[in-house]
Amino acid sequence: MDSSSDEALDIIVTNVVATFRTRCHLNLRTIALEGSNVIYKPEVGKVLMKLRKPMITASIWSSGKIICTGATSEDEAKLGARRLARCLQKLGFKVRFSAFRVVNVLAVCSMPFAIHLIDFTKNNRPIASYEPELHPAATYRIKNLKATIQVFSTGSLTVTGI
Amino acid sequence: MSAAGMTCPGCGSTNIVDDDLYSQAQLVCVDCGSVVSEGVLANDPVGGSDVSFSRTTAVAKKPCANQIKGLQRVKAICRILMVNSEIEALSQTYYKMAYEHKAFLKVSLQKKDILTGCCVLVSCRLLNWPITIGTISCLLDADPMVVGAVYQEMVKNLSIEAPIVNVTDVIEAHCHDSVDVPEELAENSRDLTKRAVALVELAADSWIVTGRKPIPIMMAATYLAWQSLKPNKHRLKFSLDKFCQIAKVKKLKPAMKRVAEIKEVLCKLGKEIPWVGGAMTPNNVIQQVECILQHRYALLRRAMRTHEDALLEESQASFTSVVKQNGSNANGKEQPGDGDNNPHALPEHRNWGKRVLFAPPCVIHPKKRRVEQCEHKDVTGDEEISDSEIDSYIRTPREARDFALMQQMLPLSDSGKS
């Protein structure tokens, strides 16, 4: 393990999940008919709408609740959500953008060394748990931050949580 | 009414006794024989008893039928696995605790069935009996992921800290004597196990085991151990498929990759054997496996030293070439000296696997990732959104009409075809 190198580690945010409400009922058939980039899923009762810039996928329910995923920053998530609300407004719905909330943020980071997962789990029990037959990474849960870190043997880390 | 303190209305005596005639309670005066009072034949008070029926018939709470069946299943699984009595007792205790826990009280019967296997699994782990989730899922005929999920939920709710299973311990349970197999293919299970365990330990030291599923590794180690115990032409030509057939196990796809990875490590070590000349390839390394395993620690040290020396030579060579380059460009031409180094810094950080001898295979052979464009630097979230942008997401009325028409036509054409 070369710990003498001074390389900075990049923590890259790869996904931000946010929700908001439109405070009005949405007719999913209308959205499916008049919107492009739209997938209608009647069996689940929702519509998936994809925006190009920022690259966001939104799940739209008829109750007016919308979940946006795919943004790479919180500001981008807000912009995408507002674009979506404007789009729905143009389709004829009385949309009021409200209750915008970031629900989950996912980030990745890579260590320049390999990690021995069995020793890592033994030294960090019970915060860390590792089941090689189920998942290749060890799960490290930080309770007070409500964050979960997946530690891979290649040195990659995936952080999820608010 | 009690007999005490009563006087006979006939003779005035206080000598009144209880007398049961035909089970009818009576108070009779001894002196004159007159009946002072008589109870009704049925002694129940009017309007029902003070004590409710369920309380009079109440018994100590017994486990329900499903719990009893579950405990019997736990016992059956323990008997099939031939575990000792301590494990059996502990699993039954855990099953009782889990069944009565509020998290599992109202779950489906299928989940309760999986819970039986999970209790056996956790007891085996706590008492150092090597067993895999795969074995338990086979016994329960359930998906290993579902079993794993129930297992993790149970461990969390009952606050159990169970150790992880070591692959080398499990492999002994999986290598058994080969029966009804031709003489030339048969092998003593003790030798086979010893050789396979050594191969797994070598794989663990060279980053092949960590993060991977254990069963394909065990399969690969057993196969290579079997080949190396008698490395004749016949065995070397025997494929993993056929080996799994004679061992009567289902071949797993990752096992092929593990075989290749272990052979790669063996080649790296085989190169360091001083008395073996010629190139070491995956084809001729099996003959040297016995030798490699016997001296593996010494060979590992030699291999690391050779690799370090090679790296040192390489860095010295690149340094001298950079010095020569800077020297030739020192005639006033602008050379962004730092620019040369910086593009290499980041890829080097990502490709640290190329600099070490042993590393997890995903690092040594990384997948090519496409470069993501970072557009989010200038986004604030509150910018103006222009109409033209939004219009690109909305169909024109004509497009919408055409789409609706097509949707109507599609089911008609389908019914036309069928």
Side-chain angles (χ1 to χ4, degrees), chain A residues 2 7-10 32-37 49-53 72-73 75-76 78-79 82-83 86-87 90-91 110-118 121 125-126 129-134 136 153-154, chain B residues 125 132-134 144-145 148 151-152 161-164 204 207 210-215 346 349 352 355 360 362-363 375-376 379-387 389-395 400 403-404:
Chain A
D2 187 7
E7 294 160 8
L9 291 172
D10 285 327
L33 188 63
E34 293 177 23
S36 56
N37 293 15
M49 187 161 189
K50 295 190 196 244
L51 298 182
R52 282 181 289 272
K53 202 179 80 151
T72 50
S73 76
D75 293 329
E76 214 178 81
K78 190 164 184 196
L79 180 63
R82 283 176 54 234
R83 278 218 173 108
R86 271 290 287 279
C87 197
K90 283 227 152 180
L91 284 173
S110 193
M111 300 286 136
F113 48 78
I115 301 169
H116 204 279
L117 294 178
I118 295 184
T121 315
R125 245 192 279 156
S129 78
Y130 172 51
E131 289 292 337
E133 291 178 84
L134 301 176
S153 61
T154 55
Chain B
R125 284 192 176 183
T132 59
I133 295 181
M145 292 295 163
Y151 172 75
Q152 282 172 330
E161 269 185 44
I164 313 167
W207 294 104
T210 197
R212 266 81 179 278
K213 285 197 174 149
I215 297 179
L346 207 50
H349 167 90
W352 60 269
R355 282 183 288 155
C362 308
V363 181
E375 282 180 17
H376 57 260
V379 171
T380 59
D382 295 314
E383 291 117 321
E384 282 293 310
I385 302 172
S386 66
D387 272 357
E389 263 181 78
I390 302 299
D391 282 336
S392 66
Y393 291 116
I394 301 177
R395 290 190 172 125
F403 182 68

Side-chain angles (χ1 to χ4, degrees), chain B residues 92-111:
Chain B
Q92 288 186 320
T93 317
Y94 275 134
Y95 184 73
K96 236 176 129 253
M97 274 170 62
Y99 194 97
E100 289 163 9
H101 192 278
K102 62 177 192 278
F104 292 106
L105 201 52
K106 295 180 185 171
V107 299
S108 64
L109 276 178
Q110 189 201 18
K111 205 167 177 182

Side-chain angles (χ1 to χ4, degrees), chain B residues 311-331:
Chain B
L311 275 180
L312 201 62
E313 269 180 42
E314 207 186 290
S315 64
Q316 277 179 348
S318 66
F319 178 69
T320 48
S321 77
V322 162
V323 162
K324 276 191 194 155
Q325 204 178 31
N326 281 347
S328 66
N329 286 345
N331 320 342

